[in-house]
């Protein structure tokens, strides 16, 4: 992982209905712990207040998630605060992420944030891009 970005993977969720929540995005305890660790472990990022989640057009299936450190909330960002962690969702990604759960998964081969998104209609074979 580079100092200015974090890796994310797409995961389609089948047969899951949208559930009404107070937040556009929910974080698992593992994701909360990892975000806290990322923000504390980087002395050059001490003024960073959270992560910003967005989507960009790229990959073989259309869209891909982006994660960046951020110092401030943008004018049109949605703010999600959970267990002391702040995640800001860019305007372009707000409808795409509605009802999504963000998790952090670590195994022998990888460490990454995984988005379980009920709005995904298709995704590429490598799991890095999707369409909704």
């Amino acid at each position: 992982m580079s100092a200015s970005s974090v890796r994310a993977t797409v995961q389609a969720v089948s047969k899951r209905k949208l559930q009404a929540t107070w937040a556009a995005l929910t974080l698992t305890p593992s994701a909360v712990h990892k975000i806290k660790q990322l923000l504390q472990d980087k002395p050059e990022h001490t003024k960073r207040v959270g992560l910003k989640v967005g989507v960009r057009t790229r990959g073989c299936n259309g869209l891909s998630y982006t994660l960046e450190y951020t110092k401030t909330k943008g004018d049109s960002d949605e703010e999600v605060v959970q267990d002391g962690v702040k995640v800001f969702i860019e305007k372009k990604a707000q409808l795409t992420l509605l009802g999504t759960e963000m998790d952090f998964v670590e195994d022998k081969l990888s460490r990454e944030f995984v988005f379980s998104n009920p709005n995904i209609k298709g995704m590429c074979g490598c799991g890095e891009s999707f369409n909704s």
Side-chain angles (χ1 to χ4, degrees), residues 79 97 107:
E79 182 177 355
L97 286 170
D107 60 28

Side-chain angles (χ1 to χ4, degrees), residues 14-39:
S14 61
K15 298 180 183 177
R16 180 174 156 204
K17 295 181 182 179
L18 276 177
Q19 297 177 358
T21 63
W22 290 106
L25 176 72
T26 57
L27 307 171
T28 65
S30 177
V32 169
H33 176 74
K34 187 60 179 180
I35 293 169
K36 284 181 181 179
Q37 183 182 21
L38 287 170
L39 293 173

Side-chain angles (χ1 to χ4, degrees), residues 3 36-50 69-71:
K36 284 181 181 179
Q37 183 182 21
L38 287 170
L39 293 173
Q40 291 173 356
D41 286 351
K42 306 285 185 198
E44 68 273 13
H45 296 291
T46 54
K47 297 191 188 240
R48 310 288 192 209
V49 296
Y69 296 108
T70 187
K71 293 180 182 179

Side-chain angles (χ1 to χ4, degrees), residues 40-98:
Q40 291 173 356
D41 286 351
K42 306 285 185 198
E44 68 273 13
H45 296 291
T46 54
K47 297 191 188 240
R48 310 288 192 209
V49 296
L51 287 182
K52 184 173 282 197
V53 179
V55 291
R56 298 287 182 262
T57 304
R58 67 175 174 216
C60 52
N61 214 319
L63 297 172
S64 182
Y65 293 113
T66 62
L67 294 171
E68 300 173 340
Y69 296 108
T70 187
K71 293 180 182 179
T72 60
K73 176 184 183 277
D75 291 337
S76 57
D77 291 347
E78 175 79 23
E79 182 177 355
V80 175
V81 180
Q82 186 176 325
D83 299 326
V85 169
K86 290 183 182 182
V87 176
F88 302 99
I89 304 171
E90 292 178 348
K91 184 176 181 176
K92 182 179 175 183
Q94 289 172 5
L95 289 177
T96 304
L97 286 170
L98 191 62

